[in-house]
């Protein structure tokens, strides 16, 4: 996968993109990325990328020209249209399903805004997706883009040491993940459930599924509304 990030602050991405799983994923050739300061594409002699909004009001609005020009430059070498993601608090709320959808793409372009907002023509004519990571406002789209990129990259083949880990994560199955334990078996009087030490894989799998259902019911019952429960699972939840 190829990822291009349009931002006025490229330096913000270095720590995230060059550490931990993100760094390993690049070493494993799961993806490549580049940050692009779209200020470099402005035709304004003062390198302005924003201006006052028509009609008045507070704040500054990002002008369309620098962003359109930057995207056009990226697309010149592409035979297949990329997916262009606008990070925006007005966008679709980001979910694991959206991450799985984006992980199937060959090329993603992220647009990270600052200031009051974007010229509406950017939304209408340029982007394919508008994404929000939650009902709150950040100073810019960079942090949101990092969150989305991280969740997408970890789903790519060879990004994780064990790809099964991504398939079993919370939300990937439609439920919250079951509890995890490791050594020692007893810590400060607290014991690891005996079933996990039994070596009986079928019983362990059943216990984990029940715990996943229980945790989802307690913490995120809304997720069960669309989850295809079996008759056995319904009875277990009722109990």
């Amino acid at each position: 996968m190829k990822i291009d990030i349009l931002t006025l602050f490229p330096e913000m991405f270095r720590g995230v993109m060059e550490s931990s799983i993100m760094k390993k994923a690049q070493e494993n050739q799961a993806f490549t990325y580049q940050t692009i300061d779209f200020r470099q594409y402005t035709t304004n002699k003062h390198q302005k990328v924003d201006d006052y909004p028509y009609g008045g009001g507070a704040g500054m609005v990002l002008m369309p020209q620098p962003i359109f020009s930057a995207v056009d430059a990226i697309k010149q070498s592409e035979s297949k249209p990329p997916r262009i993601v606008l990070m925006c608090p007005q966008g679709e709320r980001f979910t694991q399903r959206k991450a799985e959808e984006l992980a199937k793409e060959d090329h993603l372009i992220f647009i990270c805004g600052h200031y009051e907002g974007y010229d509406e023509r950017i939304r209408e004519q340029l982007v394919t997706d508008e994404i929000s990571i939650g009902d709150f406002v950040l100073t810019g789209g960079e942090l949101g883009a990092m969150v989305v990129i991280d969740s997408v990259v970890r789903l790519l083949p060879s990004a994780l040491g064990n790809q099964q880990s991504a398939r079993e994560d919370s939300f990937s199955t439609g439920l919250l993940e079951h509890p995890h334990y490791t050594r020692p078996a007893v810590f400060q009087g607290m014991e690891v459930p005996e079933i996990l030490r039994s070596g009986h894989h079928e019983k362990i799998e059943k216990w984990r599924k029940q715990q996943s259902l229980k945790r989802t019911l307690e913490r995120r019952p809304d997720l069960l509304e669309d989850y295809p429960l079996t008759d056995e699972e319904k009875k277990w939840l009722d109990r």
Side-chain angles (χ1 to χ4, degrees):
M1 174 183 282
K2 178 182 177 183
I3 297 176
D4 289 298
I5 306 162
L6 303 188
T7 172
L8 296 174
F9 302 96
E11 66 277 6
M12 290 181 66
F13 288 85
R14 291 178 192 142
V16 171
M17 304 299 280
E18 302 299 331
S19 303
S20 187
I21 296 299
M22 302 294 281
K23 181 179 180 180
K24 291 180 180 177
Q26 291 175 79
E27 292 172 348
N28 293 336
Q29 299 183 332
F31 84 109
T32 61
Y33 88 97
Q34 66 172 340
T35 54
I36 299 165
D37 185 348
F38 58 85
R39 191 182 299 277
Q40 298 173 358
Y41 287 87
T42 182
T43 57
N44 184 292
K45 66 178 182 179
H46 300 296
Q47 288 197 308
K48 283 187 62 178
V49 295
D50 62 324
D51 210 332
Y52 295 105
Y54 277 115
M60 304 290 280
V61 176
L62 285 172
M63 297 186 292
Q65 181 272 313
I67 293 176
F68 270 77
S69 295
V71 171
D72 286 344
I74 294 170
K75 291 168 66 175
Q76 282 181 358
S77 60
E78 299 295 316
S79 57
K80 180 181 176 182
R83 198 82 169 259
I84 303 176
V85 178
L86 187 75
M87 300 307 303
C88 173
Q90 301 175 27
E92 168 190 358
R93 185 180 292 189
F94 190 60
T95 64
Q96 185 67 19
R97 293 288 173 265
K98 190 69 174 182
E100 292 166 359
E101 177 187 330
L102 294 176
K104 298 175 183 177
E105 299 291 331
D106 295 325
H107 185 191
L108 299 175
I109 298 176
F110 288 85
I111 303 175
C112 305
H114 255 70
Y115 314 118
E116 183 64 22
Y118 305 94
D119 184 289
E120 191 66 15
R121 289 164 288 191
I122 296 171
R123 300 179 195 275
E124 293 176 345
Q125 302 296 326
L126 196 59
V127 306
T128 59
D129 302 81
E130 292 184 49
I131 290 180
S132 166
I133 62 168
D135 295 341
F136 49 88
V137 179
L138 299 169
T139 55
E142 284 79 11
L143 293 175
M146 293 177 203
V147 169
V148 174
I149 292 169
D150 182 276
S151 65
V152 169
V153 165
R154 67 190 310 278
L155 297 174
L156 300 177
S158 75
L160 299 178
N162 181 358
Q163 202 60 28
Q164 186 68 21
S165 297
R167 289 194 289 269
E168 294 178 352
D169 282 338
S170 292
F171 305 112
S172 291
T173 62
L175 302 172
L176 300 184
E177 198 172 9
H178 57 77
H180 292 279
Y181 295 88
T182 188
R183 294 174 177 78
V186 181
F187 176 70
Q188 295 185 357
M190 298 175 285
E191 293 189 32
V192 173
E194 185 177 348
I195 183 67
L196 296 179
R197 294 177 282 162
S198 68
H200 196 300
H201 297 296
E202 186 176 341
K203 289 183 178 179
I204 290 172
E205 189 61 31
K206 183 177 180 179
W207 179 88
R208 284 176 169 169
K209 185 58 177 290
Q210 289 176 340
Q211 293 300 310
S212 181
L213 285 164
K214 179 175 181 287
R215 180 158 287 186
T216 304
L217 179 65
E218 292 172 344
R219 303 184 182 191
R220 288 292 305 276
D222 57 296
L223 295 176
L224 294 174
E225 294 175 5
D226 298 320
Y227 185 79
L229 293 166
T230 65
D231 291 339
E232 182 182 3
E233 290 169 344
K234 290 177 183 177
K235 290 177 182 178
W236 190 85
L237 280 175
D238 288 339
R239 290 198 300 270

